[in-house]
Amino acid sequence: MIDWVHSLAGLLVGLLVGITGVGGGSLMAPILILLVGIVPVTAVGTDLWFAAITKTVGGVVHHHFGKPDWTVVRRLLMGSLPASVLTIALLSKLPRSSFQSDLILSALGVLLIMTAIATLSRRQIHDYARDMQEDTAQRFRRMQLPLTVLAGFILGVLVTLTSVGAGALGATMLIALYPMRMTAARLVGTDIIHAVPLTAVAGLGHLWIGNVDFALLGSLLVGSIPGIIVGSLLSSKLPDRLVRSVLALVLMLVGMKLLVG
């Protein structure tokens, strides 16, 4: 049976995702925890399945138009998938207690603040990385492979633990590592394609632990699909700088709320 409160949460996040492209999805788990009252581990596990399904749809579109950089995707997955499996193994050993919830809430709070900073600083990070690559191009290229695998590993841990990080934070890492290679379309496509298997593996891990509520997931999807459509239509009518600034402010405030309680 559809829970319309949960569907409204999906609608809100769908709107944010449609308007912002990346970053808005970071608010799904916090909304479920703070506004709907879902237990943190269940919010994260269910959000990972939500992300896997919605990003699969986006990934099919980007694959069809040939936008993702498959070399970069493979490098990221070399780090992120093993990291996700290791994180699930560690989570499964932790008792389902207040400690586990506190760990997730703290990690989620810190990550939302980092995502807010990344959302505001993306252009400056791109310019800095581009100038650095021009000065030390050969050395920079030698370091791209190990640094990309490391970035994937970090994202694997963060996404599996909190369900956040595959969007705005992942995109910022790619901009820093590949400032010359990543056009806007290629950046979004690469980020989404990498997120599909990562969120699927993390989601399966949380399902194995018992952290997924499929009734909640269905209600979220009912709301998110029209939300993404409406948000996408609105995005062309809103100034990008204003959207990013408002999103960063909301992410920062929610992150601080999760940290201070």
Side-chain angles (χ1 to χ4, degrees), residues 94-183:
L94 294 176
R96 292 178 67 90
S97 62
S98 60
F99 171 75
Q100 195 178 32
S101 292
D102 290 345
L103 173 65
I104 290 174
L105 287 176
S106 298
L108 188 54
V110 170
L111 200 52
L112 287 177
I113 293 172
M114 291 172 61
T115 301
I117 295 170
T119 299
L120 289 176
S121 308
R122 192 174 300 170
R123 185 180 297 276
Q124 291 87 340
I125 291 170
H126 174 267
D127 291 344
Y128 176 79
R130 182 191 58 203
D131 293 342
M132 183 175 68
Q133 183 169 349
E134 288 175 347
D135 293 339
T136 59
Q138 190 172 357
R139 186 173 63 181
F140 194 92
R141 281 195 294 270
R142 283 200 304 267
M143 294 299 295
Q144 276 180 327
L145 173 57
L147 287 176
T148 306
V149 175
L150 176 61
F153 188 91
I154 293 169
L155 289 173
V157 173
L158 296 178
V159 169
T160 306
L161 185 60
T162 68
S163 74
V164 173
L169 202 60
T172 303
M173 288 182 174
L174 289 178
I175 284 174
L177 289 168
Y178 299 93
M180 305 292 194
R181 190 163 166 170
M182 287 292 162
T183 62

